[in-house]
Amino acid sequence: MPQPTDGPRARYREQVRTEVHDHAWAQIAEAGASGLSLKAIAQQMGMTAPALYRYFASRDDLLTELVLAAYRDLAETVEAAAARTGDPTRQVRAVSGALRVWAVQAPQRYLLIYGTPVPGYTAPPEATELAQRIFAPLQSALAARLTGARRERRSFDLTVRLWTRLHGVLSLEAAGHFDTMDVEPATLFAHELASVLES
Amino acid sequence: MPQPTDGPRARYREQVRTEVHDHAWAQIAEAGASGLSLKAIAQQMGMTAPALYRYFASRDDLLTELVLAAYRDLAETVEAAAARTGDPTRQVRAVSGALRVWAVQAPQRYLLIYGTPVPGYTAPPEATELAQRIFAPLQSALAARLTGARRERRSFDLTVRLWTRLHGVLSLEAAGHFDTMDVEPATLFAHELASVLES
DNA sequence: TGTACATCAGTGAACGCGCGTTCACTGATGTAC
DNA sequence: TGTACATCAGTGAACGCGCGTTCACTGATGTAC
């Protein structure tokens, strides 16, 4: 895997890599992570499968890139939402709202990160750091609303609680489990958010 | 697919079917639902794959049986827990506790029902009825703790809230997402249960 | 109790499929003189 | 500005794999007389 860092060839490489990512996400969106196939992507791009090995060392390598890209994208989304205001309560609301939009917009991408683990695939260590980066803005906003002793620990517990509650709604919504029930996911999500802010 | 309903042959058939189910669960436990393979099961049982078509019409048919069996088992577990006491609050605790034991004991079985949907597979309509049967004991216990107007609707909302909160913890726990965090799933679960009982 | 027959569990060969991955190669593209 | 060379994107054939599923068959087991 050669890698010139600039020039027209480098530009072209980046273009192809991006196109592969796009097709990969489309595949994941409709068949989940286990449906990801280099051969199918190559076919969709009008190429042969071996050509893709110029760009990715293996299928799992591509999957790792996608997982990390998802983590990074969510981290940036969450950070941007938190940066839009200085008020801690508004920050929590903004981050939660951004999280929901991000999850509902591409359910399979959300599930790739927080759903059932892909069998036989383990995420790289970098994923853990990124997960913490996603966690951080929520925690610092919640911490800013607290005073008194053991503030750090209490804000951590509170963030975990908020996070699991929101995930409870989002994962069931993404998996379609509310479809056969008389439940409005958006309303439920708002209530769960409120329940933590009020505690 | 012939089916005598009694006699030695019927008994033998049931025995083989059960053995297939056992191997199938073992496979799901270690590779998830998409790792379910008739050929692999046959091999483990010292048979050839076509033999299994005497017992199951197709791979998806077996998967459907497993899904329904999981639903049924959970429904019975939950109902039995609720039946152990008459006090509504104790019932909610008992059902929630039974749910957690059931989920933690076989995480992949829990995720087969409530996790990321298996790509290309849709559960039979009967699953929806069973899901409601699982839901019912919680709702009637929570309803018994309420008084006043719109009790039915309020208890439904409350049950949904409890259910999503517990699922938030269980799904993250089953997927191993707490492994890299300083979180005690059992404690968190207890807190989430308490949060609804106190509301 | 013994024999003839029907039932049915299981085999073995074969099908087509899609997958990841390798390898030697062709031919276009960019670069250095 | 033009030519020679090196780089490298992409091809085509091939590999071995495991999968679900079919089909004609063998041989054991249960049943009816």
Side-chain angles (χ1 to χ4, degrees):
Chain A
M1 279 227 289
Q3 26 196 354
T5 56
D6 64 335
R9 265 181 175 151
R11 218 170 10 250
Y12 178 74
R13 279 184 71 80
E14 270 321 297
Q15 198 175 310
V16 172
R17 288 176 56 83
T18 310
E19 201 179 334
V20 171
H21 275 226
D22 291 347
H23 281 99
W25 281 120
Q27 269 187 19
I28 286 176
E30 69 179 49
S34 58
L36 183 66
S37 151
L38 282 185
K39 267 199 168 152
I41 291 172
Q43 203 174 326
Q44 282 168 13
M45 290 177 66
M47 296 168 69
T48 56
L52 296 187
Y53 283 80
R54 293 251 159 217
Y55 302 89
F56 307 93
S58 68
R59 191 207 93 118
D60 275 18
D61 233 61
L62 170 59
L63 184 54
T64 295
E65 279 192 19
L66 296 170
V67 168
L68 293 179
Y71 271 111
R72 258 184 239 112
D73 193 71
L74 180 53
E76 283 164 20
T77 299
V78 154
E79 284 163 0
R84 275 205 291 275
T85 173
D87 178 58
T89 303
R90 282 180 202 276
Q91 281 181 330
V92 175
R93 280 195 226 278
V95 168
S96 300
L99 172 64
R100 177 153 194 277
V101 167
W102 193 88
V104 171
Q105 196 177 294
Q108 288 290 347
R109 184 180 55 173
Y110 179 81
L111 292 173
L112 180 64
I113 294 185
Y114 292 118
T116 309
V118 183
Y121 173 79
T122 40
E126 200 182 339
T128 305
E129 299 166 27
L130 286 165
Q132 284 164 358
R133 211 178 117 197
I134 293 164
F135 199 80
L138 265 190
Q139 184 174 0
S140 76
L142 285 170
R145 289 165 38 98
L146 293 177
T147 54
R150 292 175 29 87
R151 196 162 139 254
E152 213 39 51
R153 179 74 215 182
R154 278 161 54 220
S155 76
F156 176 78
D157 288 349
L158 205 58
T159 312
V160 168
R161 210 119 67 205
L162 174 57
W163 183 51
T164 57
R165 286 187 193 176
L166 299 185
H167 170 75
V169 180
L170 292 180
S171 67
L172 289 171
E173 183 179 9
H177 281 292
F178 290 139
D179 296 352
T180 56
M181 294 180 71
D182 187 17
V183 171
E184 274 290 349
T187 309
L188 179 58
F189 186 87
H191 276 132
E192 289 302 84
L193 168 55
S195 74
V196 172
L197 282 179
E198 285 160 11
S199 73
Chain B
M1 280 227 289
Q3 25 196 351
T5 54
D6 64 333
R9 267 184 175 149
R11 216 167 15 249
Y12 178 74
R13 280 184 69 79
E14 270 322 296
Q15 198 174 310
V16 173
R17 288 176 56 82
T18 310
E19 200 180 334
V20 170
H21 275 224
D22 290 347
H23 281 98
W25 282 120
Q27 270 187 18
I28 286 176
E30 70 179 48
S34 58
L36 183 66
S37 152
L38 283 184
K39 267 198 167 152
I41 291 172
Q43 202 174 325
Q44 282 167 14
M45 291 177 66
M47 297 169 69
T48 56
L52 296 187
Y53 283 81
R54 293 251 159 219
Y55 302 90
F56 307 93
S58 67
R59 192 208 91 120
D60 275 18
D61 233 61
L62 170 58
L63 184 53
T64 294
E65 279 191 20
L66 296 170
V67 168
L68 292 180
Y71 271 110
R72 257 183 240 111
D73 192 71
L74 180 53
E76 283 164 20
T77 300
V78 154
E79 283 162 1
R84 274 203 293 273
T85 172
D87 178 57
T89 302
R90 282 181 203 276
Q91 282 182 330
V92 176
R93 280 195 226 279
V95 168
S96 300
L99 172 64
R100 177 153 193 278
V101 168
W102 193 87
V104 170
Q105 196 177 294
Q108 288 291 346
R109 185 180 55 172
Y110 179 81
L111 292 173
L112 180 64
I113 294 185
Y114 292 118
T116 309
V118 183
Y121 174 80
T122 40
E126 200 181 338
T128 304
E129 299 165 28
L130 287 164
Q132 284 165 357
R133 210 178 117 197
I134 293 165
F135 199 79
L138 266 190
Q139 184 173 359
S140 76
L142 285 170
R145 289 166 36 98
L146 293 177
T147 54
R150 292 173 32 85
R151 194 160 140 255
E152 214 37 51
R153 180 73 215 183
R154 277 160 54 220
S155 77
F156 176 78
D157 288 350
L158 205 59
T159 312
V160 169
R161 209 119 67 205
L162 174 58
W163 182 51
T164 58
R165 286 188 192 175
L166 299 186
H167 169 74
V169 180
L170 292 179
S171 66
L172 289 171
E173 183 179 9
H177 281 292
F178 289 140
D179 296 352
T180 56
M181 293 180 73
D182 187 17
V183 171
E184 274 291 348
T187 309
L188 179 59
F189 186 88
H191 277 131
E192 289 301 85
L193 168 56
S195 73
V196 172
L197 283 179
E198 285 160 11
S199 71

